[in-house]
């Protein structure tokens, strides 16, 4: 039988090992990435309740390379964006790059490049364009917390109507609740189709800017996690995997082959 002092020493060592193991488990749980996206076809959307789309396929390919089985949660943009700004280890995609957002998060990409375009109902564009600067006083719709609302505001629009989703905004336009709708060019046709309309029911009024779309990581996200995602994306762009996914979904749209890491948590 061991002396009491030896038994106590052995117990303390075992307890220390248990505490260390629990700390490791806790650390792993704390660094687990929560992945969020939204209904913004064809970039991100639900297909029979399963996440699908160009950026979803890119994210899934990165996850396969990293051995990350984490499911993608499809939630309203505003809810995801609120979590992105307030909770560590959140990744939301896709996020439009802006100087303001670079101060709030880490951006990895670009994944795609869209034009920020203003649309109106078919046959209405000529009348609106003829108004000149007065056009900026007319109601224009987009969805809450989107970069499109910030862009419209920076371009002088003053009557910006915000909805929960792009699909609601499309309905607002077609039912005459707003005169114009601002969104990303890549998503306009699919959003209209989902809302029960087609691209032939609208026409462009103007293009406000070009918009790069990124994967966004929240403040406090594990730096090694971001490093791993960056390497996987860079490798995909170099070996042709990214280009094939991009072409499959976006056809002849320009493929952004450079990989940049912007904002917080720089290398």
């Amino acid at each position: 039988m061991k002396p009491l002092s030896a038994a106590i020493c052995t117990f303390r060592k075992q307890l220390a090992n248990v505490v260390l193991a629990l700390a490791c488990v806790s650390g792993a749980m704390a660094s687990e990435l929560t992945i969020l996206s939204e209904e913004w076809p064809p970039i991100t959307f639900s297909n029979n309740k399963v996440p699908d789309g160009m950026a979803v396929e890119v994210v899934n390919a990165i996850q396969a390379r990293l051995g990350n089985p984490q499911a993608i949660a499809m939630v309203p943009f505003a809810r995801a964006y609120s979590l992105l700004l307030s909770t560590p280890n959140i990744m939301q995609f896709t996020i439009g790059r802006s100087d303001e957002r670079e101060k709030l998060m880490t951006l990895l990409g670009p994944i795609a490049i869209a034009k920020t375009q203003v649309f109106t109902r078919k046959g209405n564009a000529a009348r609106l364009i003829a108004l000149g600067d007065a056009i900026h006083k007319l109601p224009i719709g987009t969805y809450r917390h989107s970069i499109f609302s910030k862009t419209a505001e920076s371009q002088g629009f003053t009557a910006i109507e915000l909805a929960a989703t792009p699909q609601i905004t499309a309905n607002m336009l077609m039912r005459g609740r707003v005169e114009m709708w601002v969104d990303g060019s890549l998503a306009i046709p699919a959003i209209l189709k989902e809302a029960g309309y087609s691209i032939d029911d609208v026409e462009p009024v103007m293009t406000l800017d070009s918009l790069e779309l990124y994967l966004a990581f929240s403040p406090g996200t594990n730096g090694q996690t971001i490093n791993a995602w960056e390497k996987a994306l860079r490798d995909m762009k170099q070996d042709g995997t990214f280009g094939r996914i991009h072409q499959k979904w976006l056809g002849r749209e320009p493929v952004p082959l450079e990989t940049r890491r912007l904002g917080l948590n720089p290398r």
Side-chain angles (χ1 to χ4, degrees):
M1 188 172 185
K2 292 183 180 180
L4 180 60
S5 60
I8 292 173
C9 184
T10 300
F11 174 76
R12 285 176 175 172
K13 287 181 179 179
Q14 292 173 341
L15 180 61
N17 289 336
V18 170
V19 170
L20 179 61
L22 288 174
C24 290
V25 170
S26 177
M29 290 177 65
S31 63
E32 182 176 313
L33 200 62
T34 298
I35 304 175
L36 306 176
S37 195
E38 60 170 318
E39 300 291 341
W40 201 60
I43 307 301
T44 55
F45 63 97
S46 298
N47 185 358
N48 292 323
K49 299 184 179 181
V50 177
D52 201 357
M54 181 266 165
V56 170
E57 193 165 335
V58 169
V59 167
N60 285 340
I62 293 174
Q63 290 180 282
R65 294 182 182 223
L66 299 180
N68 177 352
Q70 187 70 24
I72 298 169
M74 304 296 287
V75 299
F77 180 89
R79 185 188 308 168
Y81 193 70
S82 177
L83 288 170
L84 179 71
L85 296 182
S86 63
T87 309
N89 299 307
I90 299 288
M91 195 277 278
Q92 182 183 0
F93 69 105
T94 55
I95 295 291
R97 191 207 70 80
S98 71
D99 293 341
E100 178 184 357
R101 286 177 172 176
E102 285 188 28
K103 300 173 184 177
L104 302 173
M105 61 195 69
T106 302
L107 296 169
L108 180 61
I111 300 301
I113 301 174
K115 295 176 183 177
T116 301
Q117 287 188 297
V118 176
F119 281 79
T120 189
R121 295 176 296 280
K122 190 75 171 181
N124 204 30
R127 178 182 67 83
L128 296 180
I129 294 171
L131 294 174
D133 289 343
I135 193 175
H136 295 101
K137 298 179 181 180
L138 298 180
I140 184 170
T142 190
Y143 60 102
R144 195 170 293 115
H145 293 302
S146 72
I147 197 168
F148 307 115
S149 63
K150 293 287 187 181
T151 301
E153 183 179 2
S154 70
Q155 296 285 338
F157 288 93
T158 58
I160 302 172
E161 300 286 338
L162 300 177
T165 69
Q167 292 76 13
I168 293 175
T169 310
N171 274 304
M172 288 170 62
L173 174 70
M174 298 310 299
R175 294 174 183 176
R177 289 181 55 192
V178 293
E179 288 288 343
M180 293 166 287
W181 167 32
V182 58
D183 209 298
S185 58
L186 299 178
I188 292 288
I191 292 170
L192 283 166
K193 182 178 180 180
E194 191 170 333
Y197 305 97
S198 80
I199 193 65
D200 293 330
D201 294 319
V202 300
E203 58 186 7
V205 179
M206 64 181 75
T207 298
L208 301 184
D209 69 4
S210 179
L211 180 65
E212 293 181 340
L213 304 174
Y214 285 74
L215 311 181
F217 297 83
S218 60
T221 295
N222 185 290
Q224 292 182 340
T225 298
I226 301 176
N227 290 344
W229 279 71
E230 180 182 7
K231 183 181 185 304
L233 178 59
R234 193 179 302 276
D235 290 346
M236 284 174 55
K237 289 193 175 187
Q238 291 176 348
D239 66 24
T241 303
F242 178 86
R244 288 190 291 273
I245 295 172
H246 191 281
Q247 184 177 31
K248 168 187 170 181
W249 288 94
L250 302 180
R252 296 183 180 181
E253 293 288 336
V255 181
L257 292 178
E258 182 183 1
T259 301
R260 294 194 295 273
R261 178 166 165 174
L262 308 172
L264 304 180
N265 205 337
R267 292 186 64 84

